[in-house]
Amino acid sequence: MHRGYVGFSPRYSYRNGGDQSAYLLNRVQVKGLFGYDLSDTTHLQGDISWFWSDDLEHKVPFNLSITTYPTDLFSLSAGGGYRIQEFNLSDVLDDFMFADVPGGIRDNSGWYFTVNSHLNFLQGWVAYGGLTFMNSAAMLTVQKNADPLVGLFPVSQVKMHQLTSELGIRWMPSQTFSAYVSWTSEIMDKPNFYPGNSFSLEANINNSSGKLGGIVSSAFNTGVNDFVQAPVVNIEGFYRVNDSLMFSAEVNDLLYPVLDGPRYSWYPFIDKGLGIVLKAHITF
């Protein structure tokens, strides 16, 4: 018997810019969504919305995707539609930390298409890959040089044709250990100071009780600027005393003290470098 679902989701959001009234923005969205099992191995899902905001006014974003599992070891998914990418100031400053953000930044919108797949090719091994294309109408970027008067990088919004590829392999030989390596590449347009290629490596280990564990991770980016940067290596560990109390420690950018010089993601601003973080997590 084929099964499905339908749903309804209204939403209102408000963007505040403190004393800057040009940042203020109201958004209203009413979304309908559905899913349906076309067969035991194929699932169709999608959504369609009425969207209104002060800057974009009326839009009708939608998404339609299909996922199929020809075998227990392989899956393939494809989808597309019209997307609204909302820009809130906190998100913008996370991506562009030294940006001079103008008032009245608009949300981005555009047509997109995505395809991805997973393959279990050996016991405990999973490979995955995908492509995503978006025709952005107002993507954020920054100028390559800082404004000498304010010391920050001016932000602008431009049209972009973005094509992102992702490849990765995960290895999980046991319940207590897993590792993965991934590569993400921006094939067409990209914002300035955004990596053209990102390589990631991570290993997780836990004891069988889940009380003790740790993560070793490394990231290497290219195409951010003209500097060749060494990989960033981080180490994390935790000890769970009970269900209510856990202690954790992080050592970030472990290689920084032995580098020939500082890192520059946003020249002339120097990256943070070596950092040690100790935390206590309390659950009530």
Side-chain angles (χ1 to χ4, degrees):
M1 179 178 178
H2 295 175
R3 295 177 297 179
Y5 67 86
V6 294
F8 173 75
S9 174
R11 182 175 69 94
Y12 169 78
S13 67
Y14 174 72
R15 188 179 75 191
N16 189 358
D19 297 332
Q20 301 294 325
S21 60
Y23 292 120
L24 301 181
L25 187 66
N26 295 278
R27 304 184 183 102
V28 179
Q29 184 175 19
V30 180
K31 178 187 291 186
L33 56 154
F34 77 93
Y36 184 70
D37 293 330
L38 298 176
S39 69
D40 292 338
T41 60
T42 303
H43 181 73
L44 180 70
Q45 66 180 21
D47 60 71
I48 187 169
S49 305
W50 168 73
F51 178 92
W52 178 89
S53 68
D54 295 317
D55 59 351
L56 294 181
E57 297 186 341
H58 300 280
K59 296 288 185 180
V60 184
F62 69 94
N63 166 68
L64 185 65
S65 65
I66 186 169
T67 303
T68 183
Y69 301 85
T71 73
D72 293 338
L73 304 178
F74 177 72
S75 69
L76 179 65
S77 178
Y82 186 81
R83 175 183 293 170
I84 305 293
Q85 183 180 8
E86 299 179 4
F87 289 138
N88 297 310
L89 293 183
S90 60
D91 302 325
V92 173
L93 293 177
D94 282 342
D95 293 335
F96 304 102
M97 63 179 66
F98 295 110
D100 182 14
V101 184
I105 57 172
R106 310 188 311 277
D107 290 337
N108 185 28
S109 62
W111 296 93
Y112 79 96
F113 175 78
T114 182
V115 58
N116 59 77
S117 66
H118 289 74
L119 174 65
N120 297 352
F121 60 96
L122 288 173
Q123 180 67 34
W125 291 84
V126 179
Y128 60 90
L131 282 172
T132 300
F133 171 81
M134 183 167 177
N135 181 20
S136 295
M139 188 61 188
L140 289 176
T141 188
V142 295
Q143 294 184 14
K144 292 186 177 182
N145 298 311
D147 185 334
L149 296 179
V150 297
L152 298 175
F153 296 83
V155 168
S156 60
Q157 293 189 265
V158 298
K159 294 182 178 180
M160 286 191 184
H161 295 90
Q162 298 172 273
L163 180 63
T164 304
S165 66
E166 183 177 10
L167 295 172
I169 296 177
R170 178 176 293 276
W171 179 43
M172 189 172 178
S174 68
Q175 295 295 322
T176 60
F177 178 80
S178 66
Y180 81 85
V181 59
S182 67
W183 169 38
T184 302
S185 179
E186 299 296 330
I187 300 172
M188 299 176 70
D189 300 332
K190 72 176 186 67
N192 290 328
F193 296 98
Y194 196 84
N197 293 279
S198 298
F199 302 89
S200 298
L201 175 66
E202 182 176 297
N204 297 264
I205 187 168
N206 302 280
N207 66 352
S208 57
S209 65
K211 295 178 67 68
L212 183 67
I215 301 172
V216 178
S217 62
S218 178
F220 177 66
N221 297 326
T222 67
V224 176
N225 49 37
D226 295 332
F227 293 90
V228 178
Q229 309 281 10
V232 176
V233 178
N234 303 322
I235 299 177
E236 304 176 32
F238 71 88
Y239 175 70
R240 192 182 307 276
V241 179
N242 50 45
D243 292 339
S244 302
L245 179 62
M246 183 179 74
F247 296 102
S248 66
E250 304 173 9
V251 181
N252 299 316
D253 204 352
L254 189 64
L255 299 181
Y256 193 87
V258 300
L259 299 180
D260 293 335
R263 295 184 189 276
Y264 293 104
S265 296
W266 293 78
Y267 185 83
F269 299 99
I270 298 175
D271 291 1
K272 288 182 179 179
L274 178 69
I276 300 175
V277 181
L278 304 176
K279 296 180 182 179
H281 307 260
I282 301 175
T283 303
F284 296 97

